[in-house]
Amino acid sequence: MEAVAQGDEAAFRELVERHQRPVYGTILKMLGDPHEAEDLAQRVFLRVYQAAPRYRPDAQFSTWLYTILRRLVFNESERRNRSRHRFLSQTQLAGEEGEIWDSPDTRQQDPAAALADRERQERVDAAVRDLPENQRLAVLLQTHQDLSYEEIASILKTSVSATKSILFRARETLRKSLQKEL
């Protein structure tokens, strides 16, 4: 980040290349729209570039990066919710866009098993999408980015014990929603 703050384009390119997949993937899993995820991922890195001169390595870079991501995603979710209330009937007709989770590898499965896996994955995706955004982000950061409770707490601006509680409630909600799958 020091090099980025000095205007080193190669350092910024390396930073983007290193973090773009997890940033994009997390946003995609939060919002479910690949185009919106791409746009927000670009905005995350634009904010990183703009804030580089003010960056202080008090915490891990990834914690700072996901804090920026959290703000942008939550703002986008809020904007969508306002729009959804105005255009609810159109949204219901539009349906779902894109896969939220990676699909299981079906190349070596028989068609019936592949279909069952895909249907199971779709039910899991739907259950995760139905979680409140704080819970959804905490689950995604822990399961897909392998962040610690401390890092997630810093990103969510909560205590470690509150983060553990958020993750516990998310798991309980998912367990109840997916009781047939378990």
Side-chain angles (χ1 to χ4, degrees):
M1 280 300 290
E2 289 177 23
V4 173
Q6 301 300 320
D8 185 337
E9 290 181 24
F12 182 67
R13 192 172 320 115
E14 181 182 335
L15 186 141
V16 171
E17 288 171 1
R18 183 178 302 163
H19 296 281
Q20 68 185 356
R21 288 182 58 117
V23 165
Y24 172 80
T26 301
I27 296 170
L28 179 61
K29 290 170 187 138
M30 287 293 294
L31 299 179
D33 180 341
H35 301 292
E36 194 66 42
E38 189 175 311
D39 180 53
L40 279 180
Q42 289 176 2
R43 288 173 45 198
V44 166
F45 289 109
L46 177 62
R47 296 260 173 103
V48 166
Y49 185 78
Q50 291 170 335
R54 297 183 308 277
Y55 174 75
R56 300 289 172 256
D58 300 331
Q60 288 187 350
F61 174 77
S62 62
T63 302
W64 183 69
L65 176 68
Y66 284 107
T67 300
I68 294 170
L69 179 147
R70 177 189 56 86
R71 287 183 192 130
L72 288 173
V73 167
F74 285 7
N75 288 343
E76 179 60 23
S77 292
E78 186 177 313
R79 185 193 66 75
R80 283 176 159 204
N81 287 337
R82 284 193 309 267
S83 296
R84 187 172 294 131
H85 290 294
R86 282 185 256 147
F87 302 109
L88 186 57
S89 61
Q90 290 178 355
T91 304
Q92 288 171 335
L93 294 174
E96 301 295 332
E97 281 193 39
E99 289 295 314
I100 301 303
W101 297 78
D102 292 335
S103 298
D105 184 3
T106 58
R107 290 176 284 186
Q108 305 220 354
Q109 291 181 334
D110 67 86
L115 179 61
D117 283 349
R118 185 168 185 83
E119 288 173 348
R120 186 177 307 112
Q121 189 64 49
E122 287 172 0
R123 287 190 292 273
V124 170
D125 292 346
V128 171
R129 275 193 308 269
D130 288 342
L131 289 173
E133 59 188 13
N134 255 9
Q135 290 180 17
R136 186 170 61 237
L137 182 58
V139 166
L140 294 172
L141 291 173
Q142 185 180 49
T143 57
H144 292 285
Q145 304 308 326
D146 200 30
L147 296 183
S148 68
Y149 287 122
E150 292 79 11
E151 292 169 310
I152 296 169
S154 179
I155 292 165
L156 295 178
K157 303 293 186 211
T158 63
S159 66
V160 172
S161 61
T163 298
K164 289 178 180 180
S165 178
I166 288 168
L167 284 164
F168 176 80
R169 285 192 310 272
R171 286 187 203 106
E172 285 300 306
T173 301
L174 289 172
R175 188 174 292 119
K176 288 175 185 173
S177 317
L178 300 168
Q179 198 163 15
K180 290 178 186 178
E181 303 302 319
L182 299 174

